[in-house]
Amino acid sequence: MIPARRGAVILLAIAAAFTLASCTGTAPDPNQGPTAMPTHDESPKPADPDAEPTCETIIPASLVAEFESYDMDAQPEEFRVGEHIVDGGLQCTWGNLEVATDHVQQYGWAPLDATRAAELQQYLAAQGWAREEGAGVVYLTEDPEFAMTVDENGYGMTYEFGDGYVLMADTKQGLSLITWR
C-alpha cells in the first residue's frame, strides 16, 4: 500500500473509532484493538429528514468535528458514477484544501429510483467493478489492484445501491459512516 494511502486508511480508522466512541459515550479500550464499524441498523439517522443533505450532515457530526480538528474541510460536488451525474446527489471530498495531498476521505449520497440504479449497476459492472449483494443492498467495488485506497478487507471505492438511494465512499468500510439514507 502506498504510504500516503496507508495514512488515509489510518485516519479513517481513527475517525471511525472516535465516531463510535461518541455514539456510545465511552472511549474505546486501546487494549482490545480497533472497534468494529457500525452496521446500517446502528448508524444514526439525520436529525431532520426533510433537510437538504450537506457534507456536514451526511456523516455523523462527531466525524465532521474530527475532520475539522485535523484542519480538513469538505469540497461538495455533484454525485457521479463514472461520467454519469446523479441528480439531487452530493459527493464530498474531505481534506486540507490548502495543501496538495491525497490524504482525503470521500463520501456521497444520492436519491435513486430502481431503473436508474439498474443502469448504473450495469455500467459499473461493464467497467470491471465487482458486484456483491447483501442485506437488501447491492455493492459495486472497484478492482483493488487499481484502487487508490483499500480498507482492511481489501475493498476500494464502493457504491451501495439501496431502496431509493445510492451511497459512495472511498472504501466499502467507509459506507457505514454515511448516515443519510
Side-chain angles (χ1 to χ4, degrees):
M1 182 181 299
I2 300 171
R5 291 295 175 201
R6 186 176 304 126
V9 171
I10 290 169
L11 179 60
L12 176 61
I14 290 169
F18 281 112
T19 299
L20 289 173
S22 69
C23 292
T24 63
T26 59
D29 180 352
N31 298 320
Q32 292 187 2
T35 306
M37 297 295 285
T39 65
H40 294 290
D41 295 335
E42 295 170 338
S43 296
K45 302 299 180 218
D48 181 1
D50 294 325
E52 291 293 319
T54 67
C55 291
E56 291 75 16
T57 61
I58 65 170
I59 59 176
S62 57
L63 183 56
V64 172
E66 184 70 21
F67 285 160
E68 290 173 347
S69 77
Y70 288 108
D71 293 324
M72 297 171 75
D73 296 304
Q75 180 176 351
E77 302 174 274
E78 297 172 308
F79 190 98
R80 292 182 171 273
V81 177
E83 70 268 3
H84 302 278
I85 296 172
V86 180
D87 293 332
L90 174 68
Q91 189 168 311
C92 304
T93 301
W94 284 88
N96 185 332
L97 304 177
E98 296 178 13
V99 178
T101 180
D102 59 357
H103 291 203
V104 298
Q105 301 293 308
Q106 293 182 316
Y107 304 97
W109 168 90
L112 197 63
D113 66 41
T115 301
R116 184 79 165 134
E119 292 170 359
L120 294 174
Q121 289 174 39
Q122 183 177 13
Y123 165 80
L124 289 169
Q127 302 299 315
W129 289 53
R131 178 187 172 97
E132 289 183 29
E133 294 185 27
V137 296
V138 173
Y139 299 101
L140 280 127
T141 303
E142 71 181 323
D143 184 333
E145 183 177 331
F146 302 110
M148 295 183 73
T149 303
V150 179
D151 68 17
E152 65 187 33
N153 297 313
Y155 291 97
M157 178 178 275
T158 303
Y159 290 91
E160 175 185 313
F161 293 86
D163 186 15
Y165 69 88
V166 59
L167 307 177
M168 71 72 68
D170 51 3
T171 65
K172 183 179 179 187
Q173 193 173 26
L175 292 168
S176 63
L177 296 171
I178 303 170
T179 58
W180 203 277
R181 301 265 194 249

